[in-house]
């Protein structure tokens, strides 16, 4: 069980529903809960030619692994 005002690191569907209810009732303060959450955004830097070559190589390896 989580301390009041703190969410557990991992929780399932029931726990997510319970957390949503607690947010809507005001038992959890979103500002407090998510204050230490570090969010980042992935920005791809690989060009399309290299991406396609690597993806094609991955597909070839996967095909070989599944047929042998």
């Amino acid at each position: 069980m989580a301390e009041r005002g703190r969410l557990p690191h991992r929780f399932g569907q029931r726990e997510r529903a319970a957390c949503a209810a607690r947010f809507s009732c005001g038992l959890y303060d979103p500002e407090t809960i998510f204050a230490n959450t570090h969010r980042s955004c992935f920005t791809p830097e690989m060009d399309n030619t290299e991406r396609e070559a690597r993806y094609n190589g991955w597909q070839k390896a996967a095909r070989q692994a599944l047929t042998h």
Side-chain angles (χ1 to χ4, degrees):
M1 181 106 187
E3 296 175 29
R4 182 174 170 88
R6 295 192 60 177
L7 296 178
H9 290 286
R10 293 184 221 166
F11 45 95
Q13 186 174 358
R14 287 184 186 169
E15 289 84 4
R16 287 192 301 270
C19 286
R22 291 178 186 125
F23 279 131
S24 67
C25 292
L27 295 176
Y28 283 166
D29 176 27
E31 296 289 328
T32 304
I33 298 295
F34 299 113
N36 293 325
T37 302
H38 303 288
R39 299 178 187 260
S40 61
C41 182
F42 174 75
T43 305
E45 297 178 0
M46 190 181 301
D47 63 34
N48 288 337
T49 305
E50 184 177 356
R51 184 176 11 263
E52 287 293 323
R54 288 177 178 240
Y55 182 60
N56 290 337
W58 176 84
Q59 287 181 313
K60 180 180 176 184
R63 269 193 308 277
Q64 289 176 346
L66 293 172
T67 58
H68 287 91

